[in-house]
Amino acid sequence: MVEIRFHGRGGQGAVKASDVLAMAAFLEGKQVQSFPFFGVERRGAPVTAFTRISDDQIRIHCYIYDPDVLVILDPTLIGAVPLTDGLQPNGKIIINTQRKPEEFDFSGTENPSVYTVDCSSIALKHGLGSEAAPIVNTAILGAVAKATGLVGIDSIAESIMEKIPVKQEKNAEAARESFAQLMG
Amino acid sequence: MKRVLTGNYAAAYGATAAKVNVVAAYPITPQTTIVEILSEIVANGELNAEFIKVESEHSALAACIGAQSAGARTYTATSSQGLALMHELIHWTARARLPIVMTNVNRALGPGWSIWADATDSVSQRDTGWMQVYCENNQEVYDTTLMAYKISEHADILLPTLVNLDAFFLSHTSQVVDMIDQDRVDAFLPTYAPEYKLDIDNPRSFGSLTSPDHYYEFSYKMHKAHEAAKQIIPEVHAQFAKEFGREYGMTESYRCDDAEYLLVTYGTIAGTTMDAVDRMRDKGIKAGALKIRYFRPFPSEEVRSILKNAIKVGVIDRMISFGHEGAFFTETKAAMYGETVPLYGFIAGLGGRDVSIKDIESMVDKMQAEDPSNLIWIGVKE
Amino acid sequence: MTKKDDQKPIVFEGASDMPPMSASQGSMSVNKTASWRSIRPIIHEEKCKSCMICWKFCPEPAIFPTSPPTINYDYCKGCGICIEECPFDAITSEKEGK
Ligand code: SF4
Ligand code: SF4
C-alpha cells in the first residue's frame, strides 16, 4: 500500500487532487481510498487530504501519519506547518514552486527525493484559476504520476475527464505539461 | 460494475438497487447528501419512487410508516440530531412491525460543535426494537442495505433495520464499491409483498386498537422475532455470499484463533484495528480483532465463543454511556458472564477524533500493564 | 462578571482549562466568527434604496440598519442570503482573497 498526503490551502483543490489520483489508480485496477482531513473549513487555512493506493483491499480508516509521498500545492506552507512529519525514509516530496529541488532543505527527513514543478504558471497558462489564486490541483498530478510512477499520465487525464466538472481538456493538458516539466 | 463511491453514494445506490417505492426526508443539520443523491436519482427517472419532502425528521419517519403500512418498501436517511428527533416514531416503527430500512450516518450530538463520527446517536436508539448494523467500509454499506431489506422483510422477523456508517470516515471517503447488476439484485430481493398491509380488498385495522391485555404478548413476540433474526441473518449472509461472493457475519473475527490480546470494536475503527493487529503480530504480539456488525440483535453466543480463549480482551467504543461505560463494552461483558477473561473498556474517537494504529497499539500496551478496573480514555488532552 | 478586557476567545489547551460545558471564556465580541466566509457581500450605495430587507433576512445578524445598511465583516459568514433577497440587486458577491 502506498500512502500519499496532500497539503494545500483552502481553494487550491487539494481534496479534489486526492480524489482524482485515487480515481486514476482505480482505472488501473487498484484498490483506492481518498478523503480530506475533517475539520472546520477556514479561508486560506491549511488543507490536508489523503490517498491510499493498494493491490489489496484497504481496511485502515485513520488519517495518514507516515506517508510515502508528500504533495505540496502551496510552497508557503513549508516551514509554516509540520509537513514532513512521519515521511517514510526515501520518501518523495513533490512541490509546486518555481524553485529547484536542491534549494529545499528537508533535513530531519531520511533521504527524501525532492521534485519541483511550477504548477501555478502551468495552471495560469491553461486558464485555470486567477493570477491571485491559480487552481493547481490537476497540474500537480502530472508531476505526481511522473515522480512516483504510481499511475500513468493517461489514467490521470482520463480521471480528470471523469472527475473535474469544467475545463476538462485544459486541466488534462496542464497535467501533461507538468508531467513533462518535472524537475528532480 | 465497480465504481469509486463515497459512503453516502453507496447508501443511496443501495436503496436504489433495492427499488424502494417511497423515500421521505428532511434536510436537518446535519443531514447528509444521501437523500439529495436519491432525489436526483428519482428526478432522473432512474428510480421509480415517490420522493416526499416533509417538514422535519419526525415527519420523515412518519411518512415512511404510512407508506410502509400501505405496502410500500420505504427508505430514509438521517444522522445525529435528526435521528434523535425521530425517536418517538423509531419506537412506533418497530412496534408496528414495519420493516423499514434507514441509513444513519453516525455523528456526534450537540452542543459542543462536531458533526464528526460518534455512535452515540444510534446507540441511544438501542431499546426501540430496531435491528442495528455497523459498517466498516463502503462496499459493506451498499451490500448491507440490500441484505437489510431481505432480513427485515422476512415473515418471521418483520423488524426495521438501522444501517450505520461512520461520518466522514465512510460518508465522505471514496472507496471502490462493486455494484450488483439490477437483475441479480431483483432475484435476490424480490418485490415487497407484505401479508399485513392497508388493503381495501382485505381490510384490517392497525395501531393502537389492541387492548392493554395484549401489550405484553406483542412485546414477547417482538423479542422472539429478534431471536429468530439471529438464525435468519446468517442464512441471508450465506445466500448473499453464494450469489455475489462477499462474506459477512453478525461478527467478523480476524486472526482470533490463537490470539492472546483480542480487541472488540465496530465501524471503521474495526478496519484500522485489523491493520494494527498485523503490525503487532509482526512484532510478536499475538493480537486479534473481533468486529461486531450487529448490535441488535446482539450475537452474544458468537462473541463469547470467540473471546473466551483469549488471555485479555479490550473493547473499543466510539461512544460513551455517561455514568457507566461504552455500550459495546457493556454488551461484551454481559456476553462473557461466567468466563474469567479480564475485560478492558476503551473510549476512543468521540466526535470524530482520529483513532490511529498507534492508539490501538497503546491499548494493547495498557492491557499488558494495567488492571481492568477503570474505563480507559485514549487520547484525551488533559 | 468577566470584564470585557479579560475576555478570551475560544482557544483551549485541554480538558483542564475548559469550562464544564461548551462555552467560551468571553462573549462573541472576542469570538469573531467570519473566518469561514468564502464570499464577501458588497452593498452598492448607488443602487441601494435602504429598504432594509437585507437587514431583516441576515441570519447572523451581521447587517446594521444604517442608511445604507452596513455589513459587519467580523461576523458575516458569507451565506449570500442578503444578495439573494435584495430586490434591487444592490448587493454583489466577491470571492474572498486567500
Ligand atoms: S435589501 Fe438591497 S436595497 Fe434594501 S437595504 Fe439592503 S442592499 Fe439596500
Ligand atoms: S452574507 Fe449572510 S451573513 Fe453576510 S451579511 Fe449577507 S446575509 Fe448576513
Side-chain angles (χ1 to χ4, degrees):
Chain A
M1 182 167 64
V2 179
E3 297 188 310
I4 303 116
R5 194 167 69 200
F6 291 82
H7 293 275
R9 288 190 190 275
Q12 287 178 325
V15 177
K16 201 79 197 173
S18 72
D19 264 352
V20 174
L21 179 61
M23 172 62 85
F26 165 73
L27 292 171
E28 296 187 2
K30 296 286 181 19
Q31 287 286 332
V32 296
Q33 189 188 68
S34 65
F35 58 106
F37 178 88
F38 310 125
V40 180
E41 283 169 35
R42 290 186 201 281
R43 162 171 34 100
V47 170
T48 309
F50 311 96
T51 303
R52 290 188 169 102
I53 300 173
S54 175
D55 291 328
D56 309 315
Q57 204 208 326
I58 299 169
R59 287 182 309 221
I60 188 167
H61 269 99
C62 60
Y63 297 141
I64 293 175
Y65 296 93
D66 312 303
D68 303 284
V69 179
L70 276 180
V71 183
I72 301 169
L73 281 78
D74 186 337
T76 66
L77 289 168
I78 297 170
V81 284
L83 296 177
T84 53
D85 272 13
L87 182 68
Q88 296 282 0
N90 309 313
K92 297 191 158 97
I93 307 176
I94 299 144
I95 312 167
N96 163 33
T97 175
Q98 294 179 341
R99 293 160 66 193
K100 293 198 175 67
E102 48 274 21
E103 292 175 46
F104 291 91
D105 171 24
F106 288 110
S107 45
T109 15
E110 213 181 306
N111 195 26
S113 310
V114 181
Y115 304 84
T116 64
V117 62
D118 183 4
C119 294
S120 301
S121 301
I122 295 173
L124 286 176
K125 190 175 137 196
H126 292 278
L128 306 170
S130 63
E131 192 83 39
I135 298 167
V136 296
N137 57 351
T138 47
I140 197 104
L141 290 175
V144 173
K146 179 82 168 279
T148 63
L150 277 170
V151 287
I153 183 68
D154 291 337
S155 305
I156 294 278
E158 194 182 337
S159 173
I160 288 171
M161 301 305 278
E162 191 149 330
K163 282 257 161 198
I164 303 286
V166 292
K167 295 191 185 170
Q168 296 169 329
E169 299 287 350
K170 297 279 173 208
N171 278 290
E173 281 166 28
R176 287 186 193 280
E177 191 162 337
S178 88
F179 184 88
Q181 284 188 13
L182 183 75
M183 289 191 283
Chain B
M1 184 190 42
K2 284 188 179 155
R3 289 188 59 182
V4 181
L5 301 178
T6 63
N8 286 339
Y9 271 93
Y13 287 157
T16 305
K19 288 191 173 165
V20 296
N21 309 113
V22 172
V23 180
Y26 177 76
I28 198 175
T29 297
Q31 182 50 280
T32 67
T33 50
I34 297 173
V35 291
E36 189 183 321
I37 297 161
L38 270 169
S39 72
E40 281 168 16
I41 292 173
V42 172
N44 290 343
E46 289 164 56
L47 173 65
N48 182 19
E50 196 71 39
F51 190 97
I52 311 175
K53 282 175 280 177
V54 291
E55 64 285 340
S56 77
E57 302 275 338
H58 189 272
S59 310
L61 192 50
C64 286
I65 287 173
Q68 190 88 25
S69 305
R73 182 179 280 159
T74 69
Y75 177 82
T76 185
T78 188
S79 73
S80 79
Q81 241 86 4
L83 186 67
L85 185 56
M86 287 179 178
H87 182 68
E88 180 205 357
L89 293 171
I90 291 178
H91 278 286
W92 188 284
T93 314
R95 290 186 174 278
R97 304 294 295 275
L98 295 169
I100 293 172
V101 173
M102 169 158 68
T103 303
N104 177 56
V105 175
N106 279 127
R107 282 177 154 176
L109 286 141
W113 182 244
S114 171
I115 52 171
W116 285 273
D118 194 302
T120 306
D121 54 359
S122 52
V123 172
S124 301
Q125 307 300 339
R126 187 190 62 184
D127 301 333
T128 55
W130 283 56
M131 295 185 282
Q132 286 198 22
V133 202
Y134 291 78
C135 298
E136 181 202 324
N137 55 51
N138 294 346
Q139 182 71 60
E140 196 173 325
V141 172
Y142 177 84
D143 293 345
T144 300
T145 308
L146 293 177
M147 287 188 282
Y149 278 105
K150 195 170 179 72
I151 293 162
S152 282
E153 292 169 5
H154 192 289
D156 294 337
I157 300 180
L158 294 179
L159 292 166
T161 301
L162 191 66
V163 179
N164 294 287
L165 58 140
D166 281 340
F168 295 91
F169 292 108
L170 288 188
S171 69
H172 290 62
T173 295
S174 298
Q175 286 182 301
V176 181
V177 176
D178 195 354
M179 306 213 299
I180 304 166
D181 292 340
Q182 191 61 51
D183 52 334
R184 299 182 69 203
V185 175
D186 293 346
F188 175 77
L189 182 68
T191 311
Y192 178 51
E195 192 185 336
Y196 301 92
K197 63 172 181 182
L198 296 168
D199 183 354
I200 43 173
D201 295 328
N202 183 17
R204 292 176 194 272
S205 305
F206 293 89
S208 305
L209 76 159
T210 55
S211 78
D213 289 347
H214 306 122
Y215 190 89
Y216 190 88
E217 282 69 28
F218 280 128
S219 300
Y220 171 76
K221 285 176 79 76
M222 228 168 108
H223 182 70
K224 283 288 162 195
H226 267 278
E227 284 185 349
K230 283 199 201 180
Q231 309 302 321
I232 295 159
I233 291 164
E235 288 170 22
V236 173
H237 285 157
Q239 198 186 336
F240 189 88
K242 193 164 154 261
E243 293 293 326
F244 310 118
R246 289 187 290 274
E247 296 192 11
Y248 294 99
M250 292 186 76
T251 69
E252 284 170 27
S253 49
Y254 183 71
R255 302 185 86 166
C256 285
D257 286 348
D258 62 336
E260 295 176 351
Y261 296 94
L262 250 167
L263 288 164
V264 181
T265 189
Y266 48 98
T268 52
I269 297 177
T272 309
T273 303
M274 290 177 201
D275 273 20
V277 162
D278 287 348
R279 274 216 215 169
M280 288 187 272
R281 288 262 175 178
D282 289 346
K283 293 178 194 164
I285 300 166
K286 282 192 174 171
L290 176 65
K291 167 174 127 184
I292 297 188
R293 267 176 36 87
Y294 268 86
F295 178 61
R296 282 293 179 275
F298 193 77
S300 302
E301 302 78 9
E302 221 172 291
V303 167
R304 183 188 174 104
S305 71
I306 294 162
L307 298 184
K308 66 173 195 240
N309 296 321
I311 290 179
K312 288 182 174 181
V313 169
V315 183
I316 313 168
D317 269 289
R318 183 171 243 155
M319 61 81 55
I320 167 91
S321 176
F322 295 108
H324 196 37
E325 57 197 15
F328 282 70
F329 182 41
T330 306
E331 306 301 25
T332 305
K333 283 200 295 190
M336 292 292 282
Y337 180 73
E339 299 291 342
T340 53
V341 184
L343 293 145
Y344 294 70
F346 295 101
I347 301 295
L350 303 188
R353 185 72 59 85
D354 196 34
V355 180
S356 68
I357 287 194
K358 279 204 183 93
D359 291 331
I360 292 162
E361 286 177 320
S362 80
M363 296 178 200
V364 172
D365 289 345
K366 290 196 161 71
M367 281 156 70
Q368 286 173 319
E370 289 174 28
D371 287 334
S373 50
N374 296 318
L375 193 60
I376 302 167
W377 288 72
I378 299 297
V380 175
K381 294 176 194 147
E382 277 297 342
Chain C
M1 199 185 99
T2 323
K3 284 206 283 318
K4 201 168 174 207
D5 294 347
D6 300 337
Q7 294 184 10
K8 288 186 212 144
I10 308 178
V11 182
F12 298 125
E13 291 297 325
S16 53
D17 73 334
M18 288 162 68
M21 76 296 287
S22 165
S24 66
Q25 288 164 317
S27 72
M28 296 312 280
S29 64
V30 291
N31 287 293
K32 312 269 198 253
T33 52
S35 62
W36 55 319
R37 184 177 60 228
S38 60
I39 63 122
R40 169 180 286 252
I42 313 269
I43 298 179
H44 298 276
E45 265 185 57
E46 68 286 0
K47 283 191 175 175
C48 175
K49 307 266 188 281
S50 291
C51 68
M52 295 303 148
I53 284 179
C54 57
W55 166 70
K56 282 194 189 121
F57 272 93
C58 175
E60 277 310 296
I63 300 184
F64 289 107
T66 49
S67 181
T70 33
I71 295 174
N72 184 335
Y73 293 108
D74 282 344
Y75 301 97
C76 164
K77 62 186 174 186
C79 67
I81 288 174
C82 54
I83 302 168
E84 183 70 26
E85 294 299 334
C86 172
F88 305 101
D89 294 332
I91 313 181
T92 57
S93 103
E94 218 174 67
K95 216 171 165 350
E96 282 291 353
K98 297 278 125 36

